[in-house]
Amino acid sequence: MDRSERCYSVLLVSASQKFTQDVLPLLPERSFSPVVKAADVSSARRCLLERSFDLLIINTPLPDEFGTRLALDICESTQSGVLLLVRAEQYPDVAARVSASGVMTLQKPTNPAMFSSTLRLLCATRERLRRMEQKTATLEEKMEEIRLVNRAKWILIDQLKMTENEAHKFIERQAMDRCVTRRTIAETILATYK
């Protein structure tokens, strides 16, 4: 999917109705949908249990906790982009504490242009994380295939008294002859001898 067509799901966490009303027009539905609202950390955590979000926007302070712990937890456990808005006097301390974990911080009050610019950076970061997620999934699939093939080789060694090299060549040859993956041959061997 082209990035210009990408639509990001957003969790907007803010106790301030005015902030929410001011931010919603900066999140056009063609680019940001759905936009789910939560008024406190507890509600936000419940929303996060139900589904994942591409972006989290947290307007601090929140009634049940400040909001930094939520931001840090999300960056640690998910691939979501997180934007934390804090008062200007708190900005240096909070930004220093959370930036190493990947939380973007913006001081408030802010203007719509700065907010939109930061949001574009957050979307770009999310795209980067998405690509890394895909690479990780591909690597995990390859590792799983290697494990399956190795288990199948050991079965061939044990059951048919092949050498490791012979077992390897057998699996490769079967995959080529049948026009299937080594994984498919390995699964067939495992099913046959289990």
Side-chain angles (χ1 to χ4, degrees):
M1 181 182 279
D2 184 12
R3 267 185 233 128
S4 61
E5 299 173 22
R6 176 89 55 201
C7 194
Y8 299 92
S9 57
V10 179
L11 178 58
L12 178 58
V13 187
S14 177
S16 166
Q17 288 287 8
K18 179 171 178 3
F19 175 84
T20 302
Q21 289 171 350
D22 291 344
V23 167
L24 285 176
L26 302 174
L27 301 169
E29 192 172 340
R30 70 182 179 283
S31 299
F32 303 98
S33 180
V35 176
V36 176
K37 296 170 275 223
D40 54 40
V41 172
S42 299
S43 300
R45 289 190 189 278
R46 278 192 299 278
C47 290
L48 289 162
L49 288 173
E50 293 172 11
R51 64 163 298 171
S52 61
F53 292 90
D54 294 313
L55 309 175
L56 269 80
I57 301 169
I58 304 169
N59 179 36
T60 65
L62 294 164
D64 47 353
E65 67 179 72
F66 187 74
T68 52
R69 175 65 7 222
L70 174 64
L72 291 169
D73 289 348
I74 295 309
C75 279
E76 185 179 304
S77 62
T78 72
Q79 299 293 320
S80 301
V82 180
L83 175 59
L84 191 65
L85 290 105
V86 297
R87 292 188 183 120
E89 62 272 7
Q90 298 166 321
Y91 176 80
D93 293 334
V94 172
R97 226 177 32 223
V98 300
S99 64
S101 297
V103 177
M104 294 186 84
T105 312
L106 186 62
Q107 66 181 348
K108 57 181 186 176
T110 188
N111 61 48
M114 178 63 84
F115 182 83
S116 293
S117 176
T118 305
L119 203 53
R120 281 192 300 278
L121 284 171
L122 195 60
C123 290
T125 301
R126 178 63 184 115
E127 286 308 310
R128 212 164 163 221
L129 291 171
R130 195 182 312 272
R131 285 192 305 276
M132 287 172 35
E133 236 176 344
Q134 290 167 344
K135 285 180 184 177
T136 301
T138 301
L139 287 173
E140 287 173 356
E141 288 170 13
K142 286 187 184 287
M143 287 172 48
E144 180 59 26
E145 179 180 322
I146 289 168
R147 282 192 283 274
L148 280 170
V149 169
N150 283 338
R151 284 185 20 226
K153 279 197 273 188
W154 284 110
I155 286 176
L156 292 173
I157 290 167
D158 184 54
Q159 298 292 319
L160 302 179
K161 306 303 181 214
M162 293 182 178
T163 66
E164 185 174 357
N165 195 30
E166 289 170 337
H168 178 78
K169 286 181 181 177
F170 176 82
I171 292 171
E172 291 283 328
R173 191 172 43 254
Q174 289 292 312
M176 246 182 347
D177 291 349
R178 296 182 185 178
C179 297
V180 295
T181 64
R182 293 178 332 139
R183 179 188 191 107
T184 303
I185 297 301
E187 289 170 342
T188 303
I189 292 167
L190 291 170
T192 302
Y193 289 99
K194 285 284 175 168

